[in-house]
Amino acid sequence: MDISWLLPLAGMVGRGSNAVGAWLLTYAVHSSVLLLAAWWLVSRRRLRWSPTAQHAIWSVAMVAGFVTASVQVASPRPSVGGALQPGGYGEGDRGGRAGDAALD
């Protein structure tokens, strides 16, 4: 049974998981910052927001996390805050703990 046709599919799954992981990490950061900003804005005593305005602030913060994460990942421009690139093992690194080389 020839399964060589599965190899390109396996490569696409790997690239897809990287894209999904990048989006999830970006969403986690963006949504955390936006929800924290919404909480700070609504919780200020000097700024008396109506319940409708508070609801609008929370709604915008929740939706903006999805929008900004999607735009950030889809944008061809480099990130302002930099990019976290998952790296493989370096030359000669076997992926073990730091002290394992001395045990050989």
Side-chain angles (χ1 to χ4, degrees):
M1 183 170 155
D2 183 30
I3 59 168
S4 61
W5 60 274
L6 286 174
L7 294 176
L9 182 61
M12 289 190 308
V13 169
R15 287 191 302 269
S17 66
N18 284 343
V20 170
W23 186 87
L24 285 173
L25 185 59
T26 304
Y27 172 72
V29 172
H30 286 213
S31 64
S32 297
V33 169
L34 289 166
L35 289 172
L36 185 63
W39 169 79
W40 180 83
L41 191 61
V42 169
S43 67
R44 299 296 99 192
R45 296 270 185 226
R46 284 188 267 162
L47 302 174
R48 297 201 174 137
W49 300 98
S50 69
T52 304
Q54 289 180 7
H55 179 74
I57 291 169
W58 283 112
S59 297
V60 166
M62 289 174 59
V63 172
F66 286 106
V67 173
T68 59
S70 299
V71 168
Q72 180 73 34
V73 170
S75 175
R77 297 180 61 196
S79 302
V80 174
L84 178 64
Q85 297 294 329
Y89 294 111
E91 190 72 29
D93 185 10
R94 295 183 300 194
R97 294 181 303 228
D100 285 349
L103 299 176
D104 290 338

